[in-house]
């Protein structure tokens, strides 16, 4: 378990802000572990929202309660608070990660519905040409899912199903989760040592 202490940020530099949404798909471990990792990184400020279905999955999959997860974030927003700071393009951030991203949330983002703060914040990130990563969780995909993923990709978002790699020979679920999140953090140029880098195939 990551320590609960927060590293001091460099007061001379504004924090890097990353928005994190946790929705009702399976795989809430990705969102929780992401918050744990970012909490330990100096100069990173996290803004968190959890949907109602996401809260249910926290209990089902990790036996965690909302407040336990919210304690990992620097700032917590109510998913129904459309007037929150992150609902405006004037709010400066490095982007947003929805981990995991349900098919309902994907559809809302793809169609610009902004029906809660998670999808509104995602809409803002897209319109401001910032980085949006959706860790979509469903299998198999139907045609509606695929079309929605295409729409988000055409708008500049990144579809990132959390598919584990095995070339680094993971020994646990935790290692597979960290490897996937390391790839996500790479997309935001966040330095980490979560997993070895690929150096090519080994010779016989």
């Amino acid at each position: 378990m990551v320590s609960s202490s927060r590293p001091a940020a460099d007061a001379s530099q504004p924090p890097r802000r990353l928005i994190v949404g946790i929705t009702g798909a399976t795989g809430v471990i990705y969102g929780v572990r992401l918050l744990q990792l970012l909490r330990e990184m100096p100069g990173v400020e996290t803004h968190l929202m959890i949907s109602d279905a996401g809260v249910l999955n926290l209990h089902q999959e990790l036996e965690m309660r909302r407040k336990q997860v919210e304690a990992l974030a620097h700032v917590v927003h109510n998913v129904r608070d459309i007037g929150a700071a992150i609902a405006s393009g004037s709010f400066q951030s490095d982007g947003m990660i929805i981990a995991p991203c349900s098919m309902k949330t994907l559809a809302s983002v793809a169609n610009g519905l902004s029906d809660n703060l998670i999808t509104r914040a995602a809409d803002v990130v897209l319109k401001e040409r910032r980085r949006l990563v959706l860790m979509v969780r469903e299998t198999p995909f139907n045609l509606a899912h695929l079309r929605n993923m295409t729409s988000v990709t055409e708008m500049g978002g990144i579809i990132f199903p959390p598919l584990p790699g095995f070339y680094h020979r993971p020994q646990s679920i935790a290692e597979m989760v960290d490897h996937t999140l390391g790839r996500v953090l790479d997309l935001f140029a966040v330095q980490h040592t979560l997993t070895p880098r690929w150096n090519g195939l080994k010779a016989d």
Side-chain angles (χ1 to χ4, degrees):
M1 178 65 75
V2 177
S3 168
S4 61
S5 61
R6 296 189 186 188
D10 184 352
S12 65
Q13 298 291 331
R16 296 191 62 187
R17 290 168 166 171
L18 286 175
I19 303 169
V20 178
I22 295 177
T23 67
T26 188
V28 288
I29 190 173
Y30 291 104
V32 172
R33 180 59 176 156
L34 177 64
L35 290 169
Q36 291 174 336
L37 293 167
L38 293 175
R39 180 187 177 97
E40 297 300 307
M41 295 181 178
V44 176
E45 178 183 289
T46 54
H47 288 251
L48 172 66
M49 298 152 291
I50 309 175
S51 72
D52 292 342
V55 172
L56 293 176
N57 271 8
L58 286 171
H59 179 70
Q60 174 68 28
E61 297 182 4
L62 300 178
E63 296 186 350
M64 294 184 73
R65 299 197 177 277
R66 179 198 297 268
K67 290 188 180 298
Q68 292 175 280
V69 179
E70 290 179 342
L72 298 172
H74 294 90
V75 182
V76 175
H77 302 277
N78 188 309
V79 73
R80 298 180 181 85
D81 184 11
I82 297 298
I86 58 176
S88 170
S90 64
F91 180 84
Q92 295 292 299
S93 76
D94 289 84
M96 180 175 181
I97 305 160
I98 303 181
C101 179
S102 67
M103 292 299 101
K104 179 180 184 295
T105 300
L106 168 67
S108 296
V109 174
N111 292 281
L113 298 184
S114 296
D115 53 351
N116 61 36
L117 186 58
I118 293 175
T119 54
R120 170 58 187 170
D123 188 70
V124 167
V125 167
L126 288 174
K127 78 182 184 68
E128 299 295 330
R129 305 300 190 267
R130 297 168 188 153
R131 180 140 290 181
L132 174 66
V133 175
L134 305 186
M135 297 185 72
V136 295
R137 271 294 301 120
E138 185 62 275
T139 189
F141 297 125
N142 66 33
L143 186 56
H145 302 154
L146 294 169
R147 284 176 172 164
N148 287 333
M149 285 188 271
T150 297
S151 294
V152 170
T153 301
E154 290 173 340
M155 289 188 282
I158 296 175
I159 301 299
F160 196 116
L163 304 175
F166 296 97
Y167 53 84
H168 61 300
R169 299 184 181 182
Q171 300 300 303
S172 66
I173 291 175
E175 287 185 16
M176 289 190 286
V177 169
D178 278 2
H179 181 265
T180 297
L181 290 176
R183 296 293 309 279
V184 171
L185 292 176
D186 285 346
L187 294 173
F188 292 87
V190 173
Q191 297 300 311
H192 64 85
T193 57
L194 291 174
T195 185
R197 298 291 179 179
W198 175 252
N199 290 312
L201 289 172
K202 296 180 180 179
D204 292 337

